[in-house]
PDB file of all heavy atoms in Angstrom:
ATOM      1  N   ARG A 322     188.862  43.894 -83.406  1.00 94.00           N
ATOM      2  CA  ARG A 322     187.686  44.227 -84.202  1.00 94.00           C
ATOM      3  C   ARG A 322     187.305  45.689 -84.029  1.00 94.00           C
ATOM      4  O   ARG A 322     186.840  46.343 -84.969  1.00 94.00           O
ATOM      5  CB  ARG A 322     186.516  43.323 -83.802  1.00 94.00           C
ATOM      6  CG  ARG A 322     185.238  43.564 -84.597  1.00 94.00           C
ATOM      7  CD  ARG A 322     184.264  42.424 -84.368  1.00 94.00           C
ATOM      8  NE  ARG A 322     183.868  42.350 -82.966  1.00 94.00           N
ATOM      9  CZ  ARG A 322     182.805  43.002 -82.469  1.00 94.00           C
ATOM     10  NH1 ARG A 322     182.073  43.770 -83.253  1.00 94.00           N
ATOM     11  NH2 ARG A 322     182.479  42.856 -81.208  1.00 94.00           N
ATOM     12  N   TYR A 323     187.510  46.230 -82.817  1.00 95.00           N
ATOM     13  CA  TYR A 323     187.214  47.641 -82.561  1.00 95.00           C
ATOM     14  C   TYR A 323     188.371  48.533 -83.002  1.00 95.00           C
ATOM     15  O   TYR A 323     188.157  49.631 -83.524  1.00 95.00           O
ATOM     16  CB  TYR A 323     186.933  47.863 -81.074  1.00 95.00           C
ATOM     17  CG  TYR A 323     185.756  47.105 -80.545  1.00 95.00           C
ATOM     18  CD1 TYR A 323     185.935  45.895 -79.869  1.00 95.00           C
ATOM     19  CD2 TYR A 323     184.453  47.578 -80.715  1.00 95.00           C
ATOM     20  CE1 TYR A 323     184.855  45.182 -79.372  1.00 95.00           C
ATOM     21  CE2 TYR A 323     183.360  46.872 -80.213  1.00 95.00           C
ATOM     22  CZ  TYR A 323     183.574  45.682 -79.542  1.00 95.00           C
ATOM     23  OH  TYR A 323     182.490  44.987 -79.059  1.00 95.00           O
ATOM     24  N   PHE A 324     189.580  48.046 -82.783  1.00 96.00           N
ATOM     25  CA  PHE A 324     190.757  48.868 -83.081  1.00 96.00           C
ATOM     26  C   PHE A 324     190.970  49.054 -84.578  1.00 96.00           C
ATOM     27  O   PHE A 324     191.428  50.112 -85.010  1.00 96.00           O
ATOM     28  CB  PHE A 324     192.014  48.237 -82.478  1.00 96.00           C
ATOM     29  CG  PHE A 324     192.039  48.213 -80.973  1.00 96.00           C
ATOM     30  CD1 PHE A 324     193.025  47.500 -80.303  1.00 96.00           C
ATOM     31  CD2 PHE A 324     191.098  48.906 -80.226  1.00 96.00           C
ATOM     32  CE1 PHE A 324     193.068  47.473 -78.922  1.00 96.00           C
ATOM     33  CE2 PHE A 324     191.138  48.882 -78.837  1.00 96.00           C
ATOM     34  CZ  PHE A 324     192.120  48.149 -78.186  1.00 96.00           C
ATOM     35  N   GLY A 325     190.725  48.021 -85.349  1.00 95.00           N
ATOM     36  CA  GLY A 325     190.966  48.101 -86.784  1.00 95.00           C
ATOM     37  C   GLY A 325     192.394  47.769 -87.166  1.00 95.00           C
ATOM     38  O   GLY A 325     192.813  48.083 -88.292  1.00 95.00           O
ATOM     39  N   PHE A 326     193.138  47.119 -86.284  1.00 95.00           N
ATOM     40  CA  PHE A 326     194.494  46.663 -86.609  1.00 95.00           C
ATOM     41  C   PHE A 326     194.813  45.456 -85.729  1.00 95.00           C
ATOM     42  O   PHE A 326     194.204  45.259 -84.667  1.00 95.00           O
ATOM     43  CB  PHE A 326     195.539  47.769 -86.390  1.00 95.00           C
ATOM     44  CG  PHE A 326     195.597  48.304 -84.989  1.00 95.00           C
ATOM     45  CD1 PHE A 326     196.381  47.703 -84.011  1.00 95.00           C
ATOM     46  CD2 PHE A 326     194.858  49.435 -84.631  1.00 95.00           C
ATOM     47  CE1 PHE A 326     196.441  48.200 -82.723  1.00 95.00           C
ATOM     48  CE2 PHE A 326     194.914  49.948 -83.334  1.00 95.00           C
ATOM     49  CZ  PHE A 326     195.707  49.327 -82.380  1.00 95.00           C
ATOM     50  N   ASP A 327     195.770  44.647 -86.173  1.00 93.00           N
ATOM     51  CA  ASP A 327     196.148  43.454 -85.411  1.00 93.00           C
ATOM     52  C   ASP A 327     197.651  43.368 -85.181  1.00 93.00           C
ATOM     53  O   ASP A 327     198.158  42.343 -84.723  1.00 93.00           O
ATOM     54  CB  ASP A 327     195.651  42.182 -86.101  1.00 93.00           C
ATOM     55  CG  ASP A 327     196.156  42.050 -87.532  1.00 93.00           C
ATOM     56  OD1 ASP A 327     197.005  42.877 -87.938  1.00 93.00           O
ATOM     57  OD2 ASP A 327     195.710  41.134 -88.232  1.00 93.00           O
ATOM     58  N   GLN A 328     198.373  44.443 -85.491  1.00 93.00           N
ATOM     59  CA  GLN A 328     199.817  44.482 -85.292  1.00 93.00           C
ATOM     60  C   GLN A 328     200.203  45.811 -84.652  1.00 93.00           C
ATOM     61  O   GLN A 328     199.710  46.868 -85.077  1.00 93.00           O
ATOM     62  CB  GLN A 328     200.567  44.321 -86.620  1.00 93.00           C
ATOM     63  CG  GLN A 328     200.355  42.985 -87.300  1.00 93.00           C
ATOM     64  CD  GLN A 328     200.982  41.844 -86.526  1.00 93.00           C
ATOM     65  OE1 GLN A 328     202.045  41.998 -85.898  1.00 93.00           O
ATOM     66  NE2 GLN A 328     200.340  40.672 -86.573  1.00 93.00           N
ATOM     67  N   LEU A 329     201.093  45.768 -83.670  1.00 95.00           N
ATOM     68  CA  LEU A 329     201.551  47.009 -83.038  1.00 95.00           C
ATOM     69  C   LEU A 329     202.371  47.859 -83.990  1.00 95.00           C
ATOM     70  O   LEU A 329     202.466  49.076 -83.818  1.00 95.00           O
ATOM     71  CB  LEU A 329     202.373  46.702 -81.781  1.00 95.00           C
ATOM     72  CG  LEU A 329     201.605  46.237 -80.543  1.00 95.00           C
ATOM     73  CD1 LEU A 329     202.568  45.994 -79.394  1.00 95.00           C
ATOM     74  CD2 LEU A 329     200.553  47.256 -80.145  1.00 95.00           C
ATOM     75  N   ALA A 330     202.983  47.237 -84.998  1.00 95.00           N
ATOM     76  CA  ALA A 330     203.781  47.997 -85.960  1.00 95.00           C
ATOM     77  C   ALA A 330     202.911  48.833 -86.885  1.00 95.00           C
ATOM     78  O   ALA A 330     203.432  49.684 -87.612  1.00 95.00           O
ATOM     79  CB  ALA A 330     204.653  47.049 -86.783  1.00 95.00           C
ATOM     80  N   ASP A 331     201.605  48.617 -86.856  1.00 95.00           N
ATOM     81  CA  ASP A 331     200.662  49.442 -87.606  1.00 95.00           C
ATOM     82  C   ASP A 331     200.574  50.800 -86.917  1.00 95.00           C
ATOM     83  O   ASP A 331     200.357  50.887 -85.708  1.00 95.00           O
ATOM     84  CB  ASP A 331     199.299  48.762 -87.623  1.00 95.00           C
ATOM     85  CG  ASP A 331     198.303  49.429 -88.554  1.00 95.00           C
ATOM     86  OD1 ASP A 331     198.338  50.679 -88.672  1.00 95.00           O
ATOM     87  OD2 ASP A 331     197.480  48.713 -89.149  1.00 95.00           O
ATOM     88  N   VAL A 332     200.739  51.890 -87.667  1.00 96.00           N
ATOM     89  CA  VAL A 332     200.740  53.221 -87.080  1.00 96.00           C
ATOM     90  C   VAL A 332     199.422  53.531 -86.382  1.00 96.00           C
ATOM     91  O   VAL A 332     199.363  54.383 -85.486  1.00 96.00           O
ATOM     92  CB  VAL A 332     201.046  54.285 -88.158  1.00 96.00           C
ATOM     93  CG1 VAL A 332     199.899  54.386 -89.148  1.00 96.00           C
ATOM     94  CG2 VAL A 332     201.322  55.638 -87.523  1.00 96.00           C
ATOM     95  N   ALA A 333     198.348  52.836 -86.727  1.00 97.00           N
ATOM     96  CA  ALA A 333     197.063  53.043 -86.054  1.00 97.00           C
ATOM     97  C   ALA A 333     197.123  52.658 -84.584  1.00 97.00           C
ATOM     98  O   ALA A 333     196.228  53.012 -83.812  1.00 97.00           O
ATOM     99  CB  ALA A 333     195.968  52.242 -86.760  1.00 97.00           C
ATOM    100  N   SER A 334     198.176  51.948 -84.172  1.00 97.00           N
ATOM    101  CA  SER A 334     198.333  51.562 -82.764  1.00 97.00           C
ATOM    102  C   SER A 334     198.821  52.705 -81.887  1.00 97.00           C
ATOM    103  O   SER A 334     198.918  52.547 -80.665  1.00 97.00           O
ATOM    104  CB  SER A 334     199.335  50.404 -82.660  1.00 97.00           C
ATOM    105  OG  SER A 334     200.657  50.853 -82.979  1.00 97.00           O
ATOM    106  N   PHE A 335     199.122  53.852 -82.486  1.00 97.00           N
ATOM    107  CA  PHE A 335     199.706  54.955 -81.720  1.00 97.00           C
ATOM    108  C   PHE A 335     198.873  55.337 -80.490  1.00 97.00           C
ATOM    109  O   PHE A 335     199.416  55.474 -79.394  1.00 97.00           O
ATOM    110  CB  PHE A 335     199.920  56.163 -82.632  1.00 97.00           C
ATOM    111  CG  PHE A 335     200.574  57.338 -81.948  1.00 97.00           C
ATOM    112  CD1 PHE A 335     201.788  57.199 -81.306  1.00 97.00           C
ATOM    113  CD2 PHE A 335     199.967  58.584 -81.948  1.00 97.00           C
ATOM    114  CE1 PHE A 335     202.395  58.265 -80.676  1.00 97.00           C
ATOM    115  CE2 PHE A 335     200.556  59.662 -81.321  1.00 97.00           C
ATOM    116  CZ  PHE A 335     201.780  59.506 -80.679  1.00 97.00           C
ATOM    117  N   PRO A 336     197.541  55.506 -80.596  1.00 97.00           N
ATOM    118  CA  PRO A 336     196.774  55.835 -79.385  1.00 97.00           C
ATOM    119  C   PRO A 336     196.850  54.745 -78.317  1.00 97.00           C
ATOM    120  O   PRO A 336     196.804  55.048 -77.122  1.00 97.00           O
ATOM    121  CB  PRO A 336     195.347  56.010 -79.903  1.00 97.00           C
ATOM    122  CG  PRO A 336     195.486  56.293 -81.352  1.00 97.00           C
ATOM    123  CD  PRO A 336     196.689  55.523 -81.791  1.00 97.00           C
ATOM    124  N   LEU A 337     196.938  53.483 -78.732  1.00 97.00           N
ATOM    125  CA  LEU A 337     197.061  52.395 -77.757  1.00 97.00           C
ATOM    126  C   LEU A 337     198.382  52.491 -77.007  1.00 97.00           C
ATOM    127  O   LEU A 337     198.418  52.391 -75.768  1.00 97.00           O
ATOM    128  CB  LEU A 337     196.965  51.046 -78.465  1.00 97.00           C
ATOM    129  CG  LEU A 337     197.199  49.812 -77.583  1.00 97.00           C
ATOM    130  CD1 LEU A 337     196.153  49.726 -76.491  1.00 97.00           C
ATOM    131  CD2 LEU A 337     197.215  48.540 -78.426  1.00 97.00           C
ATOM    132  N   LEU A 338     199.471  52.685 -77.754  1.00 96.00           N
ATOM    133  CA  LEU A 338     200.779  52.829 -77.108  1.00 96.00           C
ATOM    134  C   LEU A 338     200.789  54.051 -76.193  1.00 96.00           C
ATOM    135  O   LEU A 338     201.346  54.014 -75.090  1.00 96.00           O
ATOM    136  CB  LEU A 338     201.873  52.944 -78.168  1.00 96.00           C
ATOM    137  CG  LEU A 338     202.037  51.746 -79.110  1.00 96.00           C
ATOM    138  CD1 LEU A 338     203.118  52.032 -80.147  1.00 96.00           C
ATOM    139  CD2 LEU A 338     202.365  50.488 -78.325  1.00 96.00           C
ATOM    140  N   LEU A 339     200.168  55.120 -76.645  1.00 95.00           N
ATOM    141  CA  LEU A 339     200.112  56.349 -75.863  1.00 95.00           C
ATOM    142  C   LEU A 339     199.311  56.144 -74.586  1.00 95.00           C
ATOM    143  O   LEU A 339     199.721  56.561 -73.497  1.00 95.00           O
ATOM    144  CB  LEU A 339     199.488  57.441 -76.725  1.00 95.00           C
ATOM    145  CG  LEU A 339     199.691  58.903 -76.316  1.00 95.00           C
ATOM    146  CD1 LEU A 339     201.159  59.245 -76.202  1.00 95.00           C
ATOM    147  CD2 LEU A 339     198.994  59.807 -77.321  1.00 95.00           C
ATOM    148  N   LEU A 340     198.163  55.495 -74.703  1.00 96.00           N
ATOM    149  CA  LEU A 340     197.306  55.241 -73.549  1.00 96.00           C
ATOM    150  C   LEU A 340     198.023  54.390 -72.517  1.00 96.00           C
ATOM    151  O   LEU A 340     198.041  54.718 -71.317  1.00 96.00           O
ATOM    152  CB  LEU A 340     196.024  54.549 -74.023  1.00 96.00           C
ATOM    153  CG  LEU A 340     195.050  54.066 -72.949  1.00 96.00           C
ATOM    154  CD1 LEU A 340     194.507  55.240 -72.149  1.00 96.00           C
ATOM    155  CD2 LEU A 340     193.922  53.265 -73.575  1.00 96.00           C
ATOM    156  N   LEU A 341     198.626  53.307 -72.956  1.00 97.00           N
ATOM    157  CA  LEU A 341     199.308  52.407 -72.023  1.00 97.00           C
ATOM    158  C   LEU A 341     200.550  53.053 -71.424  1.00 97.00           C
ATOM    159  O   LEU A 341     200.873  52.840 -70.252  1.00 97.00           O
ATOM    160  CB  LEU A 341     199.674  51.107 -72.732  1.00 97.00           C
ATOM    161  CG  LEU A 341     198.485  50.267 -73.215  1.00 97.00           C
ATOM    162  CD1 LEU A 341     198.976  49.024 -73.941  1.00 97.00           C
ATOM    163  CD2 LEU A 341     197.583  49.885 -72.045  1.00 97.00           C
ATOM    164  N   LEU A 342     201.246  53.853 -72.229  1.00 95.00           N
ATOM    165  CA  LEU A 342     202.414  54.547 -71.703  1.00 95.00           C
ATOM    166  C   LEU A 342     202.016  55.553 -70.628  1.00 95.00           C
ATOM    167  O   LEU A 342     202.683  55.688 -69.603  1.00 95.00           O
ATOM    168  CB  LEU A 342     203.159  55.249 -72.841  1.00 95.00           C
ATOM    169  CG  LEU A 342     204.471  55.950 -72.459  1.00 95.00           C
ATOM    170  CD1 LEU A 342     205.459  54.959 -71.868  1.00 95.00           C
ATOM    171  CD2 LEU A 342     205.076  56.647 -73.669  1.00 95.00           C
ATOM    172  N   ASN A 343     200.901  56.256 -70.846  1.00 94.00           N
ATOM    173  CA  ASN A 343     200.413  57.184 -69.830  1.00 94.00           C
ATOM    174  C   ASN A 343     200.090  56.460 -68.532  1.00 94.00           C
ATOM    175  O   ASN A 343     200.380  56.954 -67.436  1.00 94.00           O
ATOM    176  CB  ASN A 343     199.164  57.914 -70.339  1.00 94.00           C
ATOM    177  CG  ASN A 343     199.480  58.995 -71.335  1.00 94.00           C
ATOM    178  OD1 ASN A 343     200.632  59.394 -71.486  1.00 94.00           O
ATOM    179  ND2 ASN A 343     198.474  59.475 -72.034  1.00 94.00           N
TER     180      ASN A 343
END
Side-chain angles (χ1 to χ4, degrees):
R322 181 167 63 90
Y323 299 98
F324 294 171
F326 59 87
D327 57 7
Q328 296 292 325
L329 286 181
D331 189 325
V332 68
S334 69
F335 182 56
L337 175 62
L338 299 177
L339 198 56
L340 174 63
L341 296 178
L342 184 59
N343 284 346

